[in-house]
Amino acid sequence: MDPLRRSPSPCLSSRPSSPSTPPCEMLGPVGIEAVLDQLKIKAMKMGFEFNIMVVGQSGLGKSTMVNTLFKVWKSNPPGLGVPPPQTLQLHSVTHVIEEKGVKLKLTVTDTPGFGDQINNDNCWDPILGYINEQYEQYLQEELLITRQRHIPDTRVHCCVYFVPPTGHCLRPLDIEFLQRLCQTVNVVPVIARADSLTMEEREAFRRRIQQNLRTHCINVYPQMCFDEDINDRILNSKLRDRIPFAVVGADQEHLVNGRCVLGRKTNWGIIEVENMAHCEFPLLRDLLIRSHLQDLKDITHNVHYENYRVIRLNESHLLPRGPGWVNLAPASPGQLTTPRPFKVCRGAHDDSDDEF
Amino acid sequence: MASSEVGRHLLFQSHMATKTTCMSSQGSDDEQRKRENIRSLTMSGHVGFESLPDQLVNRSIQQGFCFNILCVGETGIGKSTLIDTLFNTNFEDYESSHFCPNVKLKAQTYELQESNVRLKLTIVNTVGFGDQINKEESYQPIVDYIDAQFEAYLQEELKIKRSLFTYHDSRIHVCLYFISPTGHSLKTLDLLTMKNLDSKVNIIPVIAKADTVSKTELQEFKLKLMSELVSNGVQIYQFPTDDDTIAKDNAAMNGLLPFAVVGSMDEVKVGNKVVKARQYPWGVVQVENENHCDFVKLREMLICTNMEDLREQTHTRHYELYRRCKLEEMGFTDVGPENKPVSLQETYEAKRHEFHGERQRKEEEMKQMFVQRVKEKEAILKETERELQAKFEHLKRLHQEERMKLEEKRRLLEEEIIAFSKKKATSEIFHSQSFVATGSNLRKDKDRKKEPGCGFELLCVDVRTCENSGGRKDAEKAPIFCKTEVPEHRRSSSQANFIKKKLEVCFDFAVFICFITLYLVNGHSY
């Protein structure tokens, strides 16, 4: 018998049964909705955390994109004069930004050197390792006896994958990477440097990429299986139709028609970053920040982290002398709404667990 | 998809971080940030994440809220009425009897909706509290119930495949303790119960049926109660004063604890309004009139201002304390014997190995014992077998001896038979001879008879040949001499014949019996 479950609950009969709750009519205002304000006040005081990872070959404009998203200009512009590193490295930088009383602790993880070598075998391993390391840290914190009141959340909430604008289809490296990463983290693919493609080329490229994703069963964010109700599905279907977004990043401002806009100046015109007719950067920004940030965090916490936890806890129960899989309570029907293909998941984790 | 529970979970945890850094002020935040080497940057444009709290709130609305209230107080003190008044509904309930043998807890869940907020409200009532004659164990069922809810949550949290976001949280968020309006002081039962509950749940004491206490008495009563609670070290729930927007109100309310409340769902017309009130011949006590009672304050504090904080406190303080105690009880620690940090995993695995080892050892022991017992049993069986064998041998030997004896007897008997038949034959011959030669044979016989110590000799003659050939010749031809002693007094043939016949019959019978016996004995020996 599991030593953790040895003690039976002392008062078995007095637990209220949750399912049957008769709805009651209130005869007047009580003030329950004030709880929403209470929530807001608390949230504002505490601040938010968001961890984003950008993955792509060098020169695709990852750092510029991050700057454009969060409109924070770093002192040294990236990439110039610095030779691409020989192996994949991971740089994590944390900033705290505030807007109208809301504090956001933003952590951006950059991956210079991804896909830049001649032999790119297993170049996703360090990335997977990093992601799993964050999960592991969180898990260890959660399992302590004396827990901290607030466990610092360094788990990667979203991974933006930059697809080079070849105009043809996804490359084998892209497919391999996306397949592995979609099981572990929310992935949002974008077409980088989209100003080198015309509108028609963009559309065709997008369709081909979507087809590739479908063929290889790659489930990018927003995942269809997590749509809760019809509203969500409608909203997310619109988004899914436009993924991957064709984005352009810019960190310089130019004067266009008397307005000061962010854009790239070329000999044949100025590409306005925030103009929907020019590129889909606003869609990406809205997805990541304005509408789905909380959702990204929730899915990371409820699905990806829980999957990692299950696998991790099951693995550690393997007794050395024989088959010792702990067969705990089978998944209740409520959990079938979050299906996870464990086979592929475990494969990815085995790769990364070797590094520990 | 996701849930608000998670959002709240994150909120609680992050909120507590700020609470630990002493009522977070901006200064400490900056220091913390500097320590963590995080840059604070300013943005040069509008990004749009001020909608983050709204996103969070939307998530919570989708998920719904849940709130659990425990009402502790004597029967008939007005618990159900107050809850009805607080939430402005008529929850289905009946009056409890005063004759319960022990304290029981009755929980009921209701779903309330106000605009777009769904609240799952659970009211737990103590039935029979304070009714028993011996009240020593009255508080125990309450403590057990609270612990059971924590335990259920802990079990869910420790599962491998868990679903915390769909879990119906049944932990008690607030305990309304109803104090009887005696006007003097706290009852011993109240003190004892509150002392046992204060580390497990947020307690808000209220003075029930406050319309029986006059204003002046009420002031003194409140002061007395609070001083008693403080002097006995009972920690009641203090409304939080760290957030600027609500700090002032909360601080003021803290000074007015415990609230003197009156509950009523009856509507009474006062002036031109219809209000909830209790009607007496001497006046009307209006529930929502702040001059009459503190009901409005209680409602405001409990629901409008601090519901979130109550839930947070339950989760981060009381539940964590329970969890820590429970895990330490089971032997898990964070720091191992060499002061190295030990993870729950390792401790769990170590315990598991230990447990398995223990079990294996016990199995071995039992096996040993079993083998031992089997051996003993075998030995006993062998012993009995040997004894039986010996007995059998013994009996067999006896049988053999008997048999030999009987053989012996049989032989003797046969010899006797032979001798007798010889003698019979000779006597017949003598008889037949005596008809022919009277003297000599007889004389011979007599002479012979005169000799003392004449041996018994049986004359065996072939009787058939005697009969066929008339006796004499054959008698001379082939006599086998067995001389027999003929009894002196019987020489006459008829009597001799008769005796002979009798003897013959007897002998036949005896031989027959012997043969039967031998046969039976032989049969048995096989």
Side-chain angles (χ1 to χ4, degrees):
Chain A
M1 199 165 56
D2 203 341
L4 273 178
R5 302 200 196 293
R6 221 173 257 157
S7 54
S9 57
C11 216
L12 293 169
S13 58
S14 39
R15 183 154 194 273
S17 56
S18 57
S20 57
T21 56
C24 282
E25 281 296 316
M26 292 197 299
L27 308 169
V30 173
I32 298 178
E33 6 170 48
V35 73
L36 298 178
D37 294 327
Q38 297 172 28
L39 261 185
K40 257 195 218 169
I41 293 173
K42 278 206 180 341
M44 305 265 286
K45 196 158 63 145
M46 233 164 26
F48 294 83
E49 283 173 321
F50 190 54
N51 307 322
I52 186 173
M53 181 190 265
V54 284
V55 184
Q57 284 179 304
S58 57
L60 284 179
K62 304 189 290 289
S63 314
T64 317
M65 176 56 61
V66 171
N67 288 344
T68 324
L69 266 175
F70 293 101
K71 294 210 169 55
V72 225
W73 315 133
K74 291 208 203 140
S75 45
N76 44 337
L80 296 175
V82 178
Q86 291 306 309
T87 54
L88 176 60
Q89 292 164 3
L90 288 145
H91 290 160
S92 242
V93 187
T94 310
H95 304 289
V96 173
I97 42 184
E98 184 173 337
E99 189 177 69
K100 289 197 184 145
V102 178
K103 288 195 284 284
L104 176 67
K105 187 168 150 202
L106 177 71
T107 307
V108 179
T109 311
D110 202 352
T111 54
F114 176 80
D116 284 340
Q117 286 84 40
I118 293 184
N119 183 1
N120 284 317
D121 260 343
N122 295 337
C123 62
W124 46 80
D125 278 347
I127 297 176
L128 279 177
Y130 176 80
I131 294 173
N132 284 332
E133 201 181 302
Q134 307 314 308
Y135 287 149
E136 181 67 28
Q137 262 181 16
Y138 194 87
L139 181 66
Q140 291 304 324
E141 284 289 331
E142 203 189 26
L143 288 181
L144 282 179
I145 306 286
T146 329
R147 301 201 272 217
Q148 290 176 34
R149 293 191 130 171
H150 168 57
I151 300 176
D153 192 4
T154 52
R155 301 171 292 188
V156 177
H157 298 131
C158 177
C159 175
V160 183
Y161 186 72
F162 287 75
V163 177
T166 57
H168 295 171
C169 62
L170 284 179
R171 300 166 305 155
L173 173 66
D174 300 332
I175 292 175
E176 278 295 319
F177 183 81
L178 285 172
Q179 261 180 339
R180 280 158 212 276
L181 240 70
C182 277
Q183 313 296 332
T184 328
V185 74
N186 299 318
V187 178
V188 179
V190 293
I191 301 173
R193 287 190 180 270
D195 49 342
S196 61
L197 297 169
T198 63
M199 292 299 151
E200 298 79 21
E201 283 169 358
R202 267 189 216 169
E203 269 316 297
F205 191 27
R206 196 202 315 275
R207 297 287 157 227
R208 270 196 288 271
I209 291 183
Q210 282 174 353
Q211 179 125 37
N212 278 337
L213 293 177
R214 265 196 297 273
T215 323
H216 290 96
C217 299
I218 298 173
N219 220 0
V220 297
Y221 184 82
Q223 292 100 335
M224 201 165 338
C225 41
F226 299 143
D227 284 339
E228 268 185 13
D229 53 13
I230 193 73
N231 296 331
D232 270 350
R233 197 163 303 147
I234 293 174
L235 181 67
N236 287 343
S237 300
K238 287 204 196 112
L239 283 171
R240 278 191 278 268
D241 200 45
R242 310 297 297 160
I243 284 203
F245 302 127
V247 295
V248 176
D251 50 6
Q252 282 173 345
E253 289 192 349
H254 304 275
L255 214 58
V256 170
N257 292 344
R259 284 178 307 131
C260 214
V261 290
L262 278 175
R264 286 173 64 78
K265 185 159 184 215
T266 58
N267 283 342
W268 47 92
I270 294 180
I271 304 154
E272 290 168 45
V273 165
E274 287 179 6
N275 191 339
M276 268 305 287
H278 290 194
C279 76
E280 288 163 358
F281 171 79
L283 282 179
L284 178 67
R285 181 197 53 204
D286 289 344
L287 177 78
L288 282 185
I289 301 172
R290 291 194 188 163
S291 54
H292 284 75
L293 195 147
Q294 190 59 41
D295 192 43
L296 283 164
K297 287 171 71 170
D298 286 338
I299 292 187
T300 309
H301 181 73
N302 291 335
V303 177
H304 297 296
Y305 170 68
E306 288 293 319
N307 281 343
Y308 176 79
R309 185 175 174 274
V310 168
I311 290 176
R312 187 84 176 79
L313 292 183
N314 267 337
E315 272 173 5
S316 68
H317 284 171
L318 272 175
L319 297 177
R321 13 176 202 282
W325 281 91
V326 175
N327 191 15
L328 285 179
S332 52
Q335 277 166 335
L336 291 176
T337 55
T338 63
R340 304 302 303 159
F342 271 94
K343 245 188 324 127
V344 183
C345 205
R346 205 175 293 152
H349 279 294
D350 279 340
D351 286 346
S352 60
D353 271 350
D354 289 340
E355 292 178 29
F356 283 105
Chain B
M1 213 149 157
S3 69
S4 73
E5 197 60 50
V6 172
R8 260 172 275 141
H9 185 73
L10 293 172
L11 275 180
F12 302 155
Q13 291 178 321
S14 50
H15 181 68
M16 280 312 112
T18 51
K19 272 214 166 173
T20 48
T21 60
C22 55
M23 311 308 158
S24 69
S25 57
Q26 287 293 84
S28 66
D29 266 351
D30 286 337
E31 279 169 20
Q32 198 176 20
R33 257 179 266 139
K34 278 191 194 132
R35 263 183 272 126
E36 293 173 28
N37 222 359
I38 298 169
R39 283 193 291 162
S40 190
L41 297 180
T42 49
M43 300 175 311
S44 57
H46 174 73
V47 175
F49 58 79
E50 82 265 13
S51 63
L52 280 180
D54 293 324
Q55 289 181 33
L56 191 62
V57 161
N58 285 340
R59 178 70 56 212
S60 306
I61 289 176
Q62 226 175 16
Q63 183 67 16
F65 294 86
C66 81
F67 195 54
N68 307 321
I69 303 181
L70 169 69
C71 296
V72 181
E74 295 169 3
T75 318
I77 210 171
K79 303 187 286 284
S80 312
T81 318
L82 184 69
I83 297 292
D84 283 353
T85 326
L86 262 178
F87 290 100
N88 223 339
T89 55
N90 279 314
F91 295 124
E92 309 263 324
D93 213 351
Y94 50 86
E95 280 179 18
S96 335
S97 98
H98 282 260
F99 295 99
C100 301
N102 16 17
V103 178
K104 279 204 270 284
L105 285 108
K106 203 171 55 155
Q108 274 161 321
T109 313
Y110 308 98
E111 203 162 299
L112 302 170
Q113 174 132 14
E114 189 173 275
S115 64
N116 54 354
V117 177
R118 277 180 300 124
L119 179 72
K120 234 186 218 170
L121 181 72
T122 305
I123 311 284
V124 186
N125 258 319
T126 49
V127 173
F129 188 76
D131 276 338
Q132 295 83 34
I133 293 178
N134 181 1
K135 296 183 228 172
E136 272 178 3
E137 293 300 307
S138 292
Y139 69 86
Q140 197 58 46
I142 306 175
V143 170
D144 290 343
Y145 180 83
I146 295 175
D147 278 344
Q149 309 315 310
F150 282 148
E151 181 67 31
Y153 192 85
L154 182 65
Q155 290 296 328
E156 183 65 32
E157 201 187 24
L158 288 175
K159 269 194 201 160
I160 289 191
K161 272 197 189 161
R162 62 188 188 183
S163 57
L164 274 179
F165 46 94
T166 49
Y167 179 74
H168 172 69
D169 189 5
S170 60
R171 300 173 292 181
I172 303 289
H173 298 127
V174 68
C175 168
L176 286 175
Y177 198 93
F178 289 74
I179 301 175
S180 314
T182 56
H184 294 177
S185 60
L186 271 180
K187 291 192 191 164
T188 329
L189 173 66
D190 294 340
L191 206 54
L192 183 66
T193 314
M194 279 208 263
K195 200 86 182 73
N196 277 299
L197 288 179
D198 69 349
S199 58
K200 292 189 185 288
V201 75
N202 305 313
I203 301 184
I204 296 183
V206 291
I207 302 173
K209 297 198 171 171
D211 49 350
T212 54
V213 188
S214 73
K215 243 194 157 95
T216 40
E217 282 173 4
L218 192 62
Q219 264 314 99
E220 284 173 24
F221 191 31
K222 279 193 186 180
L223 284 173
K224 189 83 200 300
L225 285 176
M226 286 310 284
S227 67
E228 268 196 7
L229 287 175
V230 165
S231 61
N232 281 293
V234 175
Q235 285 176 349
I236 56 173
Y237 176 71
Q238 296 290 322
F239 301 118
T241 48
D242 46 0
D243 189 32
D244 297 326
T245 47
I246 52 173
K248 221 164 59 122
D249 290 335
N250 279 352
M253 294 299 171
N254 275 332
L256 289 174
L257 277 174
F259 294 127
V261 292
V262 174
S264 167
M265 286 301 285
D266 301 329
E267 311 241 306
V268 172
K269 195 160 158 106
V270 172
N272 48 359
K273 278 194 305 169
V274 177
V275 292
K276 287 204 279 281
R278 283 176 67 77
Q279 179 141 55
Y280 291 107
W282 50 88
V284 175
V285 180
Q286 292 164 36
V287 166
E288 282 169 358
N289 187 337
E290 297 221 28
N291 288 330
H292 291 194
C293 72
D294 295 332
F295 172 80
V296 174
K297 296 195 185 82
L298 174 68
R299 185 172 61 190
E300 221 179 87
M301 285 291 109
L302 186 67
I303 301 174
C304 308
T305 320
N306 296 306
M307 197 196 275
E308 231 355 84
D309 187 63
L310 284 164
R311 292 173 50 199
E312 217 179 288
Q313 288 281 335
T314 310
H315 180 74
T316 53
R317 204 152 61 119
H318 301 294
Y319 171 69
E320 286 294 317
L321 181 67
Y322 176 82
R323 180 177 176 273
R324 189 170 43 239
C325 293
K326 199 68 203 297
L327 290 178
E328 273 174 6
E329 206 179 279
M330 287 201 232
F332 292 97
T333 49
D334 275 338
V335 180
E338 296 112 30
N339 267 359
K340 279 192 298 185
V342 173
S343 75
L344 197 79
Q345 283 302 98
E346 290 170 20
T347 324
Y348 180 73
E349 277 171 46
K351 276 194 169 290
R352 201 185 168 78
H353 280 233
E354 200 184 297
F355 183 68
H356 275 282
E358 184 78 24
R359 200 171 66 177
Q360 285 223 326
R361 207 175 44 81
K362 282 212 174 116
E363 271 181 32
E364 284 294 323
E365 253 180 58
M366 285 181 69
K367 266 192 205 160
Q368 292 286 348
M369 219 161 55
F370 181 68
V371 166
Q372 187 83 8
R373 288 238 179 98
V374 165
K375 276 196 188 143
E376 282 174 14
K377 204 73 183 188
E378 268 185 25
I380 291 173
L381 283 173
K382 274 209 177 104
E383 191 65 40
T384 23
E385 202 184 314
R386 249 186 291 127
E387 280 177 18
L388 274 175
Q389 192 76 12
K391 244 191 194 170
F392 174 67
E393 304 265 310
H394 180 65
L395 277 175
K396 201 165 172 182
R397 249 182 293 123
L398 283 176
H399 275 294
Q400 285 289 91
E401 285 172 12
E402 286 289 324
R403 203 166 148 191
M404 280 182 9
K405 280 187 195 156
L406 281 171
E407 288 276 347
E408 189 68 36
K409 279 193 183 158
R410 182 184 171 193
R411 202 170 46 78
L412 286 173
L413 207 59
E414 277 183 7
E415 280 174 12
E416 274 184 27
I417 291 170
I418 292 172
F420 184 76
S421 41
K422 268 194 196 159
K423 198 180 164 198
K424 194 170 83 174
T426 33
S427 64
E428 276 182 2
I429 292 172
F430 280 155
H431 272 294
S432 56
Q433 278 180 353
S434 69
F435 292 136
V436 177
T438 46
S440 56
N441 284 344
L442 286 170
R443 262 186 247 129
K444 277 184 193 166
D445 277 336
K446 277 182 186 169
D447 290 337
R448 262 187 252 143
K449 296 295 184 257
K450 280 174 190 173
E451 288 170 19
C454 198
F456 180 79
E457 289 168 338
L458 191 66
L459 188 71
C460 293
V461 175
D462 199 355
V463 180
R464 273 181 306 172
T465 54
C466 277
E467 287 176 358
N468 289 337
S469 52
R472 204 196 303 172
K473 278 181 204 170
D474 290 14
E476 284 178 356
K477 269 186 196 172
I480 303 164
F481 273 101
C482 310
K483 294 185 184 161
T484 166
E485 223 171 44
V486 182
E488 292 174 359
H489 61 285
R490 288 285 180 254
R491 301 237 175 219
S492 61
S493 60
S494 62
Q495 282 190 339
N497 275 343
F498 178 70
I499 289 168
K500 253 188 268 171
K501 279 191 184 122
K502 274 252 170 181
L503 282 174
E504 272 174 27
V505 168
C506 286
F507 259 93
D508 283 345
F509 189 66
V511 166
F512 179 71
I513 293 291
C514 281
F515 275 7
I516 294 289
T517 318
L518 284 172
Y519 175 73
L520 286 175
V521 169
N522 280 340
H524 269 298
S525 71
Y526 286 122

